[in-house]
Amino acid sequence: MTAGNNGASKPEDDDPFGYLYADGQAAGAQPPGQGGYGYPGPAAQPGVPRTSYNQVRAVGERQYGQQQVPPQPGYGYPPQQAYGQQPAPQYHQPNPQYAAPETYPGGAPTAHRPAQDGGGSGGRGGPNTKALLIAAVAVVAVVLIGIGAALLSGNDGDRDKKNEAASSGGSGGEAKESDKAKEPEKKPEETPALELPKQDAATLTLGGSTTVESSVDGAQGVNGTYVTGFNNVGSSVTWKANMPTEGSYRLTVRYAIPAVDANATLTVNGKPNTQPIGLKNFINSSDTNLEKNWQTTWAPVDLKKGENEIKISCEDGNQCDVVLDWLEVTQK
């Protein structure tokens, strides 16, 4: 900014309050409103710029532009308004208390410089919000497109893997984990039950006075047959039983008695048991009719794998008034 021609006096020569002191009054300092302010200083020379940017002037003396405003009454205060009178609005009025150096003759131009339009809101060069909004929408669109493409490619990859697995038929003998999970767990193989022998007494080898009859109802043999005539010493039935394994078993016998306990001798593989086999009246029947007294009993036997000979006989000391229906070997 170029300063105007304000005279040749120096700023340090100015003392706005010089008129208050004796030495200032002696030097010619004058109070405000009399054409001077402070020490008068050296006279200004035409064409010689003053070394100070601003010269202290009386209040109200400096004005904007070239318009001169008369000094206000009082010292820096506006005139009193009449009671009830509204003061005139002072919007955009120049301040009479201040004037910039460029307002003096030869100062910088005071033309108004319009604000540049930066394309932003408010016409003050702010950011272009419309452009920013468009850029943000574009970024979001790109992100969404990328996510959609990733999902589509992932689905295509899974579909290709499934098709490949289906076409290869599980090559290499390897099953998928999901297929393994669907397969039922294999239970440990159960040992099949042994098929143990059972035979009608009428089909056994008979000895002594034993015979086959079918006159008594309730017999379970073929055609209702059973063995009778067993109550004589030396009578017997012999069974050739073929066992799958060696072990201890039960020999179960179905019989009928005339409501009186009976017993017989049991021989296994040529060795008689120390205890006779009991053919007792376990149902406590009092009816002597044989068909009312069918029942079962059992005795422990040790058998070997393969063929075993089991013999039931009427020996001395046995009570043998009994008829025999069938014999069976069962698990103990």
Side-chain angles (χ1 to χ4, degrees), residues 246-249 268-269 273 300-304 308 332:
E246 179 182 357
S248 297
Y249 297 90
V268 178
N269 295 325
N273 276 13
V301 292
D302 292 331
L303 303 176
K304 63 182 180 180
N308 294 267
K332 199 171 180 180

Side-chain angles (χ1 to χ4, degrees), residues 95-149:
N95 188 349
Q97 309 299 329
Y98 171 78
E102 59 267 20
T103 61
Y104 290 94
T110 58
H112 177 68
R113 179 180 299 175
Q116 296 181 357
D117 186 4
S121 62
R124 294 189 178 182
N128 192 336
T129 56
K130 185 176 181 180
L132 294 177
L133 180 59
I134 294 175
V137 171
V139 171
V140 172
V142 171
V143 172
L144 293 177
I145 293 173
I147 294 175

Side-chain angles (χ1 to χ4, degrees), residues 32 57 67 74 140 142 149 161 217 227 234 243 249-250 266 274:
R57 296 174 180 270
Q67 182 179 0
V140 172
V142 171
K161 291 180 181 178
D217 293 337
V227 174
M243 300 303 297
Y249 297 90
R250 290 183 179 184
L266 175 62
T274 57

Side-chain angles (χ1 to χ4, degrees), residues 174-207:
E174 296 181 357
K176 293 182 179 180
E177 294 296 333
S178 58
D179 296 337
K180 291 181 180 179
K182 294 179 181 178
E183 294 179 357
E185 295 182 0
K186 294 182 179 180
K187 296 182 179 179
E189 296 183 359
E190 298 179 356
T191 303
L194 297 176
E195 184 177 355
L196 301 177
K198 179 181 179 180
Q199 194 162 346
D200 295 339
T203 62
L204 302 178
T205 302
L206 304 181

Side-chain angles (χ1 to χ4, degrees), residues 81-87:
Q81 300 290 334
Y83 181 77
Q85 181 180 357
Q86 297 294 333

